[in-house]
Structure formats: structure tokens, C-alpha cells
Amino acid sequence: MAEMQHVHSAHQPNEMQNALMESMSAMHRDMEKGMQYQDADVAFAASMLPHHEGAVKMAEIELKYGKDPELRQLAENIIKAQQSEIQFMQQWLETHQTKQ
């Protein structure tokens, strides 16, 4: 419970918290842009792409600031797994987004 109180205290966010908030805000903003498309497939890919990019950014923040070896390994795994999906969605959108 003490940890939860710490999160909700009135202190100024530190560098790590600012990085996480910035990455989350950008991810949500860019995910919402994907909803502009009428085609469900394009909207899905255009929204999921920033979601995956956001996961990579959060994992990079974990690697920069985190200390727990298991979470650092998870962050590395997330980066590796998301990169191929990011590449697939980018390529898919290049060929399908122009057909709108």
C-alpha cells in the first residue's frame, strides 16, 4: 500500500516517469489517428502500429532505468518480438493505405 501512496503523492515526476508519460501520450494520440480510416483493416493496422511502437519505447525506458533482471529480459524480448510486427504493419500499410 505504501507503494501506491508514493505513486499518488504530490511530488514532481522524475525523468523516468516523464519518459513513460511522454511515450504513452504519443502512443495514444497516434493510435487515435488510425481510427480515421473507413477500412477496418487499415484502421486496425494504423492503430496497432503506434501501439507496438509504444511498447518498444516503454521497453527501452525499462532498459534505461530498470534494474530487475527478469523485467529487463522481458523488455529485450518485447523489443525483438515487436520489431517484426512493426515492420510487417509498415509494409502492409504502404501497399494498402494508398488504396483508400
Side-chain angles (χ1 to χ4, degrees):
M1 201 63 158
E3 290 179 43
M4 291 300 289
Q5 290 173 347
H6 177 71
V7 170
H8 296 292
S9 68
H11 75 285
Q12 292 294 319
N14 64 29
E15 187 177 315
M16 177 273 304
Q17 290 170 315
N18 284 330
L20 283 173
M21 288 302 294
E22 186 177 309
S23 72
M24 295 282 287
S25 294
M27 178 184 67
H28 287 134
R29 181 186 64 243
D30 292 343
M31 286 174 64
E32 288 178 4
K33 288 179 187 175
M35 293 187 282
Q36 69 180 312
Y37 298 100
Q38 296 293 316
D39 181 285
D41 295 326
V42 174
F44 172 73
S47 295
M48 286 301 291
L49 180 58
H51 178 69
H52 282 53
E53 291 169 336
V56 168
K57 181 64 177 167
M58 291 178 70
E60 290 169 345
I61 293 167
E62 168 60 21
L63 292 176
K64 182 175 181 178
Y65 297 101
K67 306 285 187 251
D68 184 86
E70 290 176 311
L71 287 180
R72 291 179 57 80
Q73 182 62 58
L74 176 63
E76 289 177 9
N77 294 345
I78 287 169
I79 292 168
K80 288 176 189 172
Q82 300 295 316
Q83 291 297 354
S84 65
E85 294 177 1
I86 288 169
Q87 184 178 19
F88 171 82
M89 286 183 280
Q90 288 171 333
Q91 291 172 342
W92 190 92
L93 282 167
E94 284 178 22
T95 60
H96 293 85
Q97 208 168 16
T98 57
K99 296 178 184 177
Q100 291 287 308

